Amino acid sequence: MSRNHHNVNSGGGPYRETTDPAQAQAALNPTYRASSAQTLPEPPPLTFRCLCGQVSGVIDGNVGGRRVCSCCVCKKVTGGTHADVLVIDEGQLRIDRSRLTSFMYEDPHRYSNNARINRCIQCGTTIFSEFTETTPSLLKVFVLAVCAT
């Protein structure tokens, strides 16, 4: 079996879906309960913050799922083989960006999209990355920063 050197997942892309949306919401927010009906109720917002508490915010609406990403950006940001992330639309994120520092990661080999990485100015916790080449802009919020409310 041949392995693509920039994608260790067998799903064909850098993402591997780990749960369905209802399971992702329930895992991140113990007070969330999906109904047995086809339509999921609007979940309560998820909150997140950095390690020092200087940066915090809210994710509104349904989260499409929790994913393990092994793209080049996530490997560089975490210093490991993958990142545990929530992929959301840019409009779902409420955050004061004045306490963030960011830098642009451009993949010289083009294995993944270019991304702006956003971290806390004080403690350096990676909060989210923005993919500038997608429409609408997609964000990866790193699960390390998400808090159960």
Side-chain angles (χ1 to χ4, degrees):
M1 176 191 235
S2 171
R3 285 173 77 179
N4 187 331
H5 69 281
H6 70 277
N7 179 10
V8 297
N9 297 323
S10 60
Y15 304 115
R16 179 171 49 92
E17 188 86 22
T18 57
T19 60
D20 69 32
Q23 289 173 333
Q25 289 290 345
L28 292 169
N29 188 346
T31 62
Y32 176 77
R33 297 286 181 259
S35 70
S36 60
Q38 289 287 69
T39 305
L40 293 176
E42 187 67 26
L46 292 174
T47 60
F48 59 89
R49 67 174 175 264
C50 66
L51 294 174
C52 72
Q54 294 292 313
V55 175
S56 63
V58 175
I59 299 170
D60 292 319
N62 285 315
V63 173
R66 188 172 174 175
R67 295 187 170 106
V68 172
C69 183
S70 62
C71 76
C72 292
V73 174
C74 287
K75 287 178 182 179
K76 296 273 186 186
V77 168
T78 63
T81 60
H82 66 279
D84 192 3
V85 296
L86 302 174
V87 179
I88 63 170
D89 291 326
E90 185 176 27
Q92 290 181 263
L93 185 72
R94 286 189 283 148
I95 188 171
D96 176 8
R97 292 180 181 240
S98 67
R99 298 189 179 270
L100 295 173
T101 183
S102 65
F103 64 92
M104 194 69 184
Y105 173 78
E106 295 181 11
D107 184 2
H109 305 292
R110 303 297 297 159
Y111 293 138
S112 58
N113 291 328
N114 295 337
R116 179 168 304 283
I117 312 301
N118 296 275
R119 297 177 179 215
C120 172
I121 291 174
Q122 185 70 32
C123 66
T125 301
T126 302
I127 305 295
F128 66 96
S129 59
E130 302 173 79
F131 289 88
T132 57
E133 299 170 0
T134 60
T135 305
S137 292
L138 292 178
L139 305 180
K140 288 184 188 175
V141 177
F142 291 82
V143 172
L144 164 71
V146 176
C147 312
T149 54

